[in-house]
Amino acid sequence: MAAERALRTAAPHQLLDAVRRVLTDQYAADSVELFLADYGLTVLQPVSVLPHTLQPVPVHSSPAGRAFGAQEPHVENLADDLVRAHLPVSVRGDRLGVLTVTLRGREHARGVLAELAEIAEVLAHEVIVAERDTDLYLQARRRDRLTLAAEMQWQLLPGRSCARPEYELGAQLEPAYGIFGDNFDWSASADRLSLYVTNGMGEGIEASLLTNLAINALRNARRAGLGLADQAALGDQAVYAHYRGRCYLSVLMLDIDLATGVVRAVDAGSPRLLRLRDGTVERVAFDAQLPLGMFEETDYVTQEFRVEPGDRLVFVSDGVYDVASPGGETYGDAALARAIQSTRLLPAAEVPRAILRELTGHRGRPDPDDDALVVCLDWRGR
C-alpha cells in the first residue's frame, strides 16, 4: 500500500525514484533499477536520466530477460547473502520491462517476493499513465533513433501484446526503428475482439500518413458502433477522398465473438492468415476484396469462420511471405508453416519476434527491404 500511494502521488518522471524510496525504506533493498524493452525486443534498456548510467541487458541471455520472457519472477543468488530479484513489469499481458531489486538475505527475499511482484505490476500501470505527460519512458525504450515514420507508427499502436481469459495476443514490426507502412490494431469489449492487420503502401512518411488516416477512419467507424463491413466502407471512403485512388491500403479485419468463437472477416488486400490446429498448419483463405481507397464507394462483404479452443492464428504481411533468400527462393507458406510449428511451444507474445528471427536467417542479411509484420493470436475461448 505504501508503494501504491507513493507511485500514484509521484510526478510522472519520478516513478522510479518513488518506488526506489519505498523499497529501500520498507523492504531494505540495496538497489532498485527499472529496465524497459526496446522497440526491437532485443534488449532491456535502463530507465535513468540521460546519458544512461547502466548498460542495456540482453532479452535472450540474461536473468532479467528470463523474467521478461517467462513473465515470472526470477531470483539470482549473489555473494555475501545478497539476492537479486527480477520482476516482470506488465499490464494486462502487455510486457513493458523488468524491475530489478537487490536484497540482503535469501529468507527475507523469499518472504517478500510476492509483494514485490505486485509492486512491479502497479509500477507498470503507472508507467502507462505517466507516458501521457513525460517522454522519459519512451526515450528509455530506444536503442537507436527512430525515423519519423516509425515514430508515427509506434504511437499509433495499441501495444505489443495483451491477454484475457479468452485469448492472448502478440505482435511485432520490423525494422523496428525504421518501419513505415505496416500496422496492427486491436480493441476488446465484454463480448467482442476487433483486430486489424494492415499492409501499408509506399515508403517513408507517405506510407505512415496513409496508414494513420486509414486506421483512424476504421477506429472512428468502430467507435460509432458500425459493423465490420461498414467500418471497411468508411475507411475506404476516407482514403479515396484524400488520395483519389493514387494510394490505397491492404487490410485484414476480424471481429471475434468471445463467447462463441465465431469470426467475421473482411479481407481487403494482402495480409495472410495461417492457423495451427491439432498440430497442423493451414492457410485460412478468404474471397479477395479491393484494398481500402482503390476505387470510390466500394462495397465490402463479411465472411465467417470459427476458432476452436487451442487454435493459434498467425497473421503476416507481404514483407514476410514475399521475402526472397540470396538464391531467390521466396519464403512463402511452406516456410511459414515450418516457423509456426517450430514456435508452437512459445507464448503468443514471443512468437512474432521468433518468426522474424527465422525470416532474417532466410533473407541472409539483417536489414529488410520491406516492412515485416507478424501478429499471433492464441484462442482459449470461454
Side-chain angles (χ1 to χ4, degrees):
M1 291 179 65
E4 188 169 349
R5 284 195 300 269
L7 285 167
R8 291 187 173 173
T9 56
H13 62 283
Q14 292 181 326
L15 296 180
L16 179 56
D17 291 337
V19 77
R20 185 178 280 146
R21 283 195 300 271
V22 170
L23 295 183
T24 300
D25 295 343
Q26 303 291 329
Y27 296 87
D30 274 25
S31 66
V32 179
E33 301 294 343
L34 174 61
F35 297 85
L36 295 179
D38 86 307
Y39 288 101
L41 287 177
T42 58
V43 296
L44 297 167
Q45 294 274 114
V47 175
S48 56
V49 177
L50 295 175
H52 296 309
T53 55
L54 298 176
Q55 291 297 315
V57 176
V59 166
H60 299 291
S61 59
S62 67
R66 183 171 173 179
F68 180 78
Q71 287 296 285
E72 295 287 344
H74 177 68
V75 176
E76 285 184 276
N77 292 320
L78 307 178
D80 300 325
D81 202 30
L82 288 174
V83 173
R84 184 174 294 143
H86 304 282
L87 310 154
V89 177
S90 303
V91 180
R92 299 185 181 92
D94 190 9
R95 308 178 307 163
L96 305 183
V98 172
L99 181 68
T100 296
V101 183
T102 304
L103 304 161
R104 187 168 297 279
R106 296 177 185 177
E107 290 298 325
H108 170 57
R110 280 196 291 267
V112 300
L113 189 62
E115 292 181 19
L116 295 178
E118 290 184 14
I119 291 171
E121 185 176 348
V122 174
L123 174 61
H125 283 264
E126 294 303 318
V127 167
I128 293 295
V129 174
E131 285 181 348
R132 299 180 305 180
D133 301 309
T134 179
D135 286 336
L136 176 64
Y137 309 104
L138 294 173
Q139 286 177 317
R141 291 179 179 146
R142 296 162 196 237
R143 188 178 189 181
D144 297 302
R145 183 177 177 179
L146 290 175
T147 65
L148 178 54
E151 185 86 51
M152 295 167 66
Q153 290 297 75
W154 283 107
Q155 289 297 306
L156 192 62
L157 298 176
R160 280 190 291 202
S161 55
C162 70
R164 275 184 52 168
E166 299 90 350
Y167 62 85
E168 290 185 15
L169 268 166
Q172 180 63 10
L173 296 163
E174 291 291 345
Y177 291 86
I179 196 79
F180 39 77
D182 289 2
N183 193 271
F184 57 88
D185 191 36
W186 56 61
S187 177
S189 65
D191 302 312
R192 316 199 71 81
L193 169 66
S194 296
L195 173 63
Y196 309 146
V197 181
T198 59
N199 198 154
M201 174 185 177
E203 297 182 356
I205 295 296
E206 290 304 317
S208 183
L209 288 171
L210 169 63
T211 303
N212 269 261
L213 173 62
I215 290 295
N216 279 291
L218 293 174
R219 287 175 174 173
N220 179 253
R222 183 182 72 216
R223 292 164 183 170
L226 300 183
L228 202 65
D230 290 333
Q231 292 175 32
L234 187 64
D236 174 69
Q237 291 168 16
V239 174
Y240 185 84
H242 187 77
Y243 291 100
R244 312 303 295 182
R246 299 188 309 275
C247 297
Y248 44 85
L249 186 96
S250 298
V251 59
L252 177 58
M253 304 171 60
L254 271 63
D255 179 76
I256 307 175
D257 188 313
L258 298 179
T260 66
V262 172
V263 184
R264 294 178 177 85
V266 171
D267 182 5
S270 58
R272 290 189 185 178
L273 169 58
L274 290 91
R275 176 177 59 206
L276 174 62
R277 175 182 287 176
D278 297 328
T280 301
V281 178
E282 58 184 351
R283 184 177 171 188
V284 180
F286 303 99
D287 294 336
Q289 301 182 68
L290 294 173
L292 305 187
M294 182 173 280
F295 297 106
E296 190 173 12
E297 296 183 0
T298 303
D299 291 326
Y300 292 92
V301 178
T302 59
Q303 298 174 253
E304 288 191 5
F305 68 101
R306 185 186 294 271
V307 284
E308 302 291 342
D311 281 357
R312 168 167 284 181
L313 304 182
V314 178
F315 307 81
V316 296
S317 65
D318 62 5
V320 176
Y321 60 78
D322 278 346
V323 167
S325 69
E329 180 185 358
T330 301
Y331 194 63
D333 286 350
L336 261 175
R338 290 194 297 270
I340 292 170
Q341 287 281 14
S342 69
T343 58
R344 64 188 182 279
L345 299 180
L346 294 177
E350 293 197 25
V351 169
R353 180 62 188 158
I355 291 178
L356 289 169
R357 282 199 302 271
E358 293 201 20
L359 182 68
T360 300
H362 174 84
R363 189 170 54 235
R365 61 187 189 283
D367 298 323
D369 296 324
D370 191 11
D371 290 358
L373 164 63
V374 179
V375 179
C376 180
L377 168 63
D378 281 353
W379 179 256
R380 292 192 291 261
R382 286 186 176 168

